[in-house]
Amino acid sequence: MDNDREQRCKQANELIQLIASTGWKFFNYEGNGGFIGYFEIKKGRTYFIDGYTKKAIYAYTNKFFHYKFTQGGTMQALILDIAEFIRTGEATNAKNGYGGIYCDHWGYPAEAMSKIQKKAKEIGFTDSLEKDLDRHDYIVE
């Protein structure tokens, strides 16, 4: 298996852990008999394991999320973006819409979002808000 891809998967899971440990605690179902969702690579494909349904979702297109994913559309787009980052190593924040980690619809405190954005930049998921704005004209400052 590609060691770089495994490393990006590990980093992506660190980002998910951060998202799950603050604010609304998206992806965290530990209090409901589940666990924090996470990425894994099986047979060269990137999957997201939903912490509530406990089902593996092939994180490639929207069609694989039906009845398996317990978060909303913003987080689904984020998962698709992160999965593409794992596969390619490219900065893919907001490629699937909703502004990604710069979206103001999460409802997270500003301090938490700042930590999430810093971690995303640290691992290479985003280059910066400015570059994401240039790539994706629907992100609003």
Side-chain angles (χ1 to χ4, degrees):
M1 188 173 311
D2 181 349
N3 286 336
D4 291 339
R5 190 183 303 184
E6 278 293 328
Q7 180 61 28
R8 289 190 301 272
C9 186
K10 180 180 179 230
Q11 292 170 326
N13 283 328
E14 291 170 3
L15 180 61
I16 294 292
Q17 285 283 330
L18 180 58
I19 293 167
S21 66
T22 188
W24 288 100
K25 298 187 177 183
F26 292 138
F27 310 119
N28 187 339
Y29 291 97
E30 292 175 315
N32 296 332
F35 49 82
I36 294 174
Y38 62 92
F39 286 96
E40 71 178 23
I41 299 172
K42 297 184 204 176
K43 297 182 181 180
R45 290 185 171 188
T46 305
Y47 289 84
F48 182 75
I49 313 304
D50 186 276
Y52 184 76
T53 65
K54 302 176 184 171
K55 294 184 185 250
I57 303 164
Y58 179 37
Y60 192 72
T61 68
N62 288 314
K63 72 179 183 179
F64 297 110
F65 284 75
H66 197 57
Y67 298 120
K68 294 178 184 176
F69 191 67
T70 52
Q71 300 291 318
T74 300
M75 292 299 111
Q76 182 174 324
L78 181 68
I79 292 300
L80 287 170
D81 289 344
I82 295 172
E84 185 170 337
F85 162 72
I86 293 169
R87 285 191 304 275
T88 67
E90 300 293 322
T92 55
N93 178 56
K95 185 172 181 186
N96 286 282
Y98 297 101
I101 57 152
Y102 298 111
C103 179
D104 59 357
H105 302 305
W106 287 31
Y108 272 43
E111 182 180 326
M113 286 306 295
S114 179
K115 287 179 184 177
I116 291 165
Q117 292 159 357
K118 180 180 177 188
K119 179 67 175 177
K121 190 171 181 182
E122 175 187 303
I123 68 173
F125 174 63
T126 182
D127 291 322
S128 67
L129 172 60
E130 295 76 27
K131 287 188 180 181
D132 285 352
L133 284 169
D134 288 344
R135 273 198 313 265
H136 310 294
D137 61 0
Y138 50 79
I139 299 175
V140 180
E141 280 188 278

